[in-house]
Every structure is written in structure tokens, then in C-alpha cells.
């Protein structure tokens, strides 16, 4: 071996390189290059895998179609570090750009040429367009080095959706020209997009079925509620019918009793009138007989009420002056309520003419006064204020108390115990009473 600059002695020939050493050096260099290429491919595949995983974690199939495809092309550019990415939809002779990033075909003719070339490439089960085809395509006037095409959706659907990726020469280290080294990652990404689209389609289908089920459930619930209301109304009608039949039977019974009782009162009243006309009757007894005749008349009026309840007596309303009727009735009822209770009557200033049945009106006032007396006596004899006030007042047609016409209001108040809410809700029931048996 000689060093650079050392002259070779005459007649001395340098030794030849060792072939075995050259072979070992060449093998080492080749192995080193393979390791570099393997590491490069591994890093590239990891990068694609990370991009796909990140895409599936971030992107969800949204209801907004445009937002989904924008996320697809954004993720394509970021994952594969390419100049442009397009999502295309073709079907029925038309092609639509769903979304794009970076330089893209500017005219419809350029887009149609790209779609035709991509479909031919896919028909050959390839993904990278050949060099001759790439030269015929234009992306916004810029030269393209490599174009990758993957079908996202196709048969058996009516439309075909494509994902197109393009790179220039400066991006070539990541995408070798016309090489299938990086194609699996791109295919995997396109398959992920297709899966998400299928998930979206399934979700839309499921949501539609859920909405149909909700609508069917709501309709069924509505029918059930309607059936329940109908059943409740039917039960209520049955109860009302049973009550009506009981009332009808009670009315017939009351009518029969009232008819027989009226016959007895006719005999009592007739004999009392004959006795009242006897001249030999002493004056004190004559007044007692007069009260007997008046009581018999009022009892007959009560039987008329029973006959009316049994629908055997017709109501006969006439024009009466309530102030005059009350003044006459209250004189007779002062003895009924007792001397220990003060009965006051305050009539209105004007004449109070109304259409009413005098017998019904007299029965009404009698019931109110008796109830007022019982309410006062419920306090016991130690009650200091023991009085009943009866007042009449004219009511104009616009008042809530009137039914669109002038009316007369009669108010009966007392200093008794009053009524609670439970009793007040039942006061208009025909046979409701809080009195003890026998009263």
C-alpha cells in the first residue's frame, strides 16, 4: 500500500484490491440502504396510520353533508402532505365537487377528464394514474407529478364518490412516482371514509326508524288515552243513568205520598174552615183555628212541591213583588225561628217585580230561614249576637249576578257557624243535608 504523493519505485507493482473485501463492503452498503429505506417506509406508514386514526377519532358523520366532506379533504391534505385533495360525486351524467383543498381542475371539462381517467384507473384495479394520463390533466395550470384515485362509494349505489389526491415533484419523496409503496395507506384512508359514510347512512336509517316508532307510540298512546277517556265517560254515563233511575223512582214515590197527604190536608183544611165560621167559637180559639187554616194551606203548598218534583205538577210562574211576598212570609216565620233570634228585613227602595212561582218562592225562603236558625243554634245559648238579615237589591243587566237581564238579588245572612269548603261543594245536591236524623 502507498500513500498519496509517494512515488512508486521502479519495478514495484501495487497489490490488487482484495475481491472478498470489496464484496463485504458492497454488502454492507446495500444493507445500510435497505435499512434506510425500511425505516423511511415504516415512518411513512406510521404517519398514515396516525392520520387515519386521528381522522376516525375527530370526524363524525354529521347531518351536514358539506361539513363532512370538508373534514375529509382537510384530513387528506394533513395526513398525506399533498398539494390538493378533492371529493367528487358523479352520477347521472353529472359530476359535482363535494369539497376541495389546494389547486384543482378549474373547468367542467378538466373535472370530467379527471373523473374519466380515475374510473379507468380503478377499472384496472390500480390507484396511481399512469404517467401518460397524468400529463393530459391540468390542475389550475400547475404541473402534477402523481395523482392517486380511490373509490369511496360506488356500486350498488346510484352515484359514485371518488377521493382524488395530487402531488408535485417537490412532494415526491413521500409519494414515489408510479409506485405502489404508499398506495395501501391511501386506500386505507378511503376505506375509513367509506365506513364513516356507511355509519352515517345507518344512523340516518335508524333515526328514521326511531322517529317512526316514536310516532307509532304517540299514536298508540293517544288512542289509549282516548279509549280511557271514553271508558271513563261511559262509566260516568252509567252512574248518571243509575242516579236518574233512582231519582225517577223516588219521584214516583214522593208523588204518591204527596197525593195521599194532599187528600188528608183537604179534609183538615175543610173542617178547620167550618169551625172558623161557627159564631159560637170564642175569639181566642178563632185565632188558633185561623193559624191552623194557614198551616194547612202551607202544607198543601209543600205537597205541590213534591208533586212538581215527581213531574206531576206544572210550575206556574206569575208576576210577584218580592218585597211584599217577603214581608208577608217573614211575619209568619218569626214564630218559626224563635223569639231569641232577631229577624231583620231590609227591602230595596224600588218595586221588585219578578216572574216566579209563589209556592216555590215561599218554600225557598222557608228553607233558608230554617237553615240560618239551625246554624245560629249550633253556637249554643251563649251566643251574644243572634240575628238573621234578609236584604233585597236590584241588579242591572250588566252585573255578573244577572244573566243579561235586570234581576232582583235576595241575600240571607246569619251569625251562625257557617260552612266549610267540603259542605259548600254539595249544597246544590237535591237530597244533601247536614242535619241529624228526624230534623
Amino acid at each position: 500500500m502507498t500513500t498519496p504523493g509517494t512515488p512508486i519505485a521502479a519495478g514495484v507493482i501495487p497489490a490488487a484490491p482484495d475481491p472478498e473485501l470489496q464484496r463485504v463492503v458492497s454488502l454492507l452498503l446495500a444493507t445500510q440502504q435497505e435499512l434506510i429505506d425500511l425505516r423511511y417506509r415504516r415512518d411513512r406508514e406510521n404517519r398514515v396510520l396516525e392520520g387515519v386514526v386521528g381522522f376516525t377519532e375527530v370526524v363524525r358523520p354529521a347531518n351536514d353533508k358539506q361539513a363532512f366532506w370538508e373534514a375529509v379533504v382537510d384530513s387528506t391534505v394533513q395526513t398525506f402532505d399533498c398539494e390538493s385533495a378533492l371529493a367528487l360525486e358523479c352520477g347521472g351524467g353529472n359530476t359535482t365537487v363535494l369539497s376541495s383543498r389546494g389547486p384543482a381542475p378549474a373547468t367542467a371539462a378538466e373535472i370530467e377528464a379527471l373523473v374519466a381517467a380515475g374510473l379507468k384507473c380503478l377499472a384496472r384495479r390500480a390507484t396511481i394514474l399512469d404517467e401518460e394520463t397524468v400529463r393530459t390533466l391540468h390542475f389550475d395550470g400547475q404541473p402534477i407529478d402523481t395523482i392517486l384515485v380511490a373509490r369511496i362509494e360506488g356500486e350498488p349505489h346510484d352515484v359514485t364518490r371518488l377521493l382524488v389526491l395530487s402531488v408535485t415533484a417537490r412532494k415526491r419523496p413521500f409519494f414515489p412516482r408510479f409506485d405502489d409503496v404508499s398506495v395501501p395507506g391511501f386506500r386505507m384512508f378511503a376505506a375509513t371514509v367509506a365506513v364513516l359514510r356507511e355509519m352515517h347512512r345507518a344512523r340516518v336509517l335508524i333515526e328514521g326508524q326511531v322517529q317512526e316508532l316514536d310516532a307509532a307510540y304517540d299514536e298508540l298512546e293517544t288512542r289509549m288515552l282516548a279509549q280511557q277517556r271514553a271508558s271513563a265517560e261511559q262509566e260516568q254515563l252509567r252512574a248518571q243513568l243509575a242516579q236518574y233511575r233512582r231519582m225517577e223512582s223516588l219521584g214516583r214515590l214522593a208523588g204518591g205520598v204527596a197525593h195521599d197527604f194532599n187528600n188528608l190536608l183537604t179534609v183538615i183544611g175543610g173542617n178547620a174552615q167550618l169551625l172558623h165560621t161557627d159564631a159560637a167559637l170564642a175569639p181566642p180559639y178563632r185565632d188558633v183555628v185561623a193559624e191552623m187554616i194557614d198551616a194547612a194551606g202551607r202544607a198543601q203548598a209543600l205537597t205541590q212541591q213534591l208533586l212538581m218534583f215527581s213531574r206531576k205538577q206544572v210550575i206556574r210562574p206569575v208576576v210577584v213583588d218580592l218585597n211584599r211576598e217577603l214581608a208577608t212570609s217573614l211575619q209568619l216565620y218569626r214564630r218559626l225561628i224563635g223569639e231569641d233570634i232577631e229577624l231583620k228585613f231590609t227591602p230595596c227602595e224600588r218595586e221588585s217585580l219578578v216572574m216566579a212561582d209563589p209556592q216555590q218562592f215561599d218554600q225557598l225562603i222557608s228553607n233558608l230561614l230554617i237553615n240560618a236558625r239551625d246554624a245560629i243554634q249550633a253556637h249554643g245559648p251563649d251566643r251574644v249576637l243572634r240575628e238573621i238579615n234578609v236584604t233585597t237589591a236590584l241588579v242591572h243587566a250588566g252585573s255578573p249576578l244577572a244573566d243579561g237581564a235586570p234581576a232582583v238579588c235576595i241575600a240571607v245572612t246569619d251569625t251562625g257557624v257557617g260552612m266549610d269548603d267540603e259542605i259548600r261543594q254539595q249544597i246544590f245536591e237535591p237530597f244533601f243535608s247536614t242535619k241529624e236524623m228526624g230534623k
Side-chain angles (χ1 to χ4, degrees):
M1 294 293 295
T2 59
T3 59
T6 303
I8 300 176
V12 179
I13 301 175
D18 187 357
E20 183 63 21
L21 179 60
Q22 290 182 350
R23 188 182 67 81
V24 172
V25 171
S26 298
L27 181 60
L28 290 175
L29 293 176
T31 303
Q32 183 180 11
Q33 185 63 41
E34 288 180 2
L35 290 175
I36 293 174
D37 294 342
L38 180 61
R39 183 181 301 170
Y40 174 76
R41 287 195 299 269
R42 184 197 61 188
D43 294 342
R44 184 172 53 189
E45 291 171 359
N46 288 339
R47 176 179 171 182
V48 173
L49 182 60
E50 291 175 359
V52 172
V53 173
F55 173 72
T56 57
E57 291 179 349
V58 175
V59 179
R60 294 292 182 270
N63 292 329
D64 187 358
K65 178 179 178 181
Q66 183 65 29
F68 176 80
W69 291 116
E70 288 179 355
V72 169
V73 295
D74 286 341
S75 299
T76 303
V77 173
Q78 295 176 5
T79 301
F80 298 99
D81 193 20
C82 57
E83 277 82 9
S84 64
L86 299 89
L88 303 175
E89 181 179 87
C90 51
N94 297 321
T95 301
T96 303
V97 179
L98 299 175
S99 183
S100 65
R101 291 293 182 272
T107 63
E110 293 176 350
I111 295 176
E112 294 297 334
L114 174 62
V115 171
L119 294 177
K120 289 181 180 180
C121 178
L122 294 174
R124 298 193 304 269
R125 299 183 179 275
T127 300
I128 301 180
L129 271 65
D130 58 89
E131 184 176 7
E132 182 178 356
T133 303
V134 172
R135 290 175 181 174
T136 62
L137 302 176
H138 303 280
F139 276 40
D140 198 20
Q142 296 186 14
I144 302 299
D145 185 80
T146 305
I147 296 179
L148 282 76
V149 180
R151 178 184 283 110
I152 299 175
E153 291 178 339
E155 297 80 1
H157 306 295
D158 296 334
V159 297
T160 299
R161 293 183 177 89
L162 304 177
L163 182 61
V164 181
L165 182 151
S166 66
V167 295
T168 59
R170 68 185 184 87
K171 295 288 185 177
R172 188 184 303 173
F174 191 75
F175 290 104
R177 295 185 60 188
F178 315 115
D179 187 2
D180 281 346
V181 174
S182 60
V183 170
F186 185 65
R187 289 176 177 172
M188 180 175 61
F189 185 84
T192 304
V193 175
V195 169
L196 289 179
R197 290 295 297 168
E198 289 296 332
M199 291 173 56
H200 172 61
R201 186 178 294 105
R203 189 184 72 175
V204 172
L205 180 61
I206 293 174
E207 289 178 352
Q209 294 176 348
V210 170
Q211 291 177 357
E212 292 178 358
L213 291 175
D214 290 341
Y217 176 78
D218 293 340
E219 183 179 359
L220 179 60
E221 186 177 12
T222 302
R223 290 182 179 179
M224 292 179 61
L225 291 176
Q227 186 176 3
Q228 291 177 358
R229 285 195 296 267
S231 300
E233 292 176 358
Q234 187 176 8
E235 291 296 330
Q236 186 177 5
L237 290 176
R238 289 178 181 174
Q240 291 177 355
L241 178 60
Q243 179 68 12
Y244 171 77
R245 290 176 178 175
R246 288 194 295 268
M247 296 291 290
E248 187 178 14
S249 300
L250 184 60
R252 286 197 296 267
L253 175 63
V257 173
H259 180 73
D260 295 338
F261 187 61
N262 192 52
N263 292 336
L264 297 175
L265 289 175
T266 301
V267 176
I268 295 173
N271 291 330
Q273 288 179 357
L274 290 176
L275 183 61
H276 189 267
T277 57
D278 189 358
L281 187 64
Y285 297 105
R286 188 178 299 276
D287 294 338
V288 174
V289 172
E291 291 184 3
M292 292 173 57
I293 295 173
D294 183 71
R298 293 185 177 276
Q300 286 182 333
L302 178 60
T303 60
Q304 298 300 322
Q305 295 285 335
L306 293 174
L307 289 173
M308 181 189 64
F309 173 73
S310 63
R311 300 182 180 178
K312 295 183 179 181
Q313 178 68 27
V314 180
I315 300 176
R316 294 184 176 87
V318 295
V319 179
V320 296
D321 186 350
L322 290 186
N323 289 336
R324 185 178 300 175
E325 289 289 332
L326 283 172
T328 303
S329 300
L330 293 180
Q331 290 180 358
L332 300 175
Y333 286 126
R334 290 184 187 276
R335 296 180 182 179
L336 178 65
I337 64 176
E339 297 179 355
D340 59 335
I341 299 177
E342 184 179 2
L343 179 60
K344 296 181 180 180
F345 175 50
T346 306
C348 57
E349 298 178 356
R350 296 177 58 185
E351 191 177 33
S352 55
L353 300 178
V354 297
M355 290 290 295
D357 188 324
Q359 296 177 356
Q360 283 190 320
F361 177 73
D362 185 68
Q363 183 67 32
L364 172 66
I365 296 301
S366 173
N367 291 335
L368 290 175
L369 292 177
I370 293 175
N371 290 337
R373 179 200 64 186
D374 295 342
I376 293 175
Q377 291 178 351
H379 272 303
D382 297 335
R383 183 73 174 181
V384 177
L385 185 60
R386 303 166 65 87
E387 64 180 21
I388 301 174
N389 295 297
V390 181
T391 307
T392 60
L394 297 178
V395 180
H396 58 85
S399 173
L401 298 177
D403 191 13
V408 179
C409 176
I410 303 175
V412 179
T413 59
D414 60 75
T415 58
V417 294
M419 295 181 292
D420 55 21
D421 293 337
E422 183 178 357
I423 296 177
R424 192 178 297 110
Q425 293 177 359
Q426 299 177 277
I427 59 175
F428 293 108
E429 295 183 6
F431 300 103
F432 173 75
S433 176
T434 59
K435 296 181 181 179
E436 300 177 358
M437 186 68 66
K439 289 190 178 180

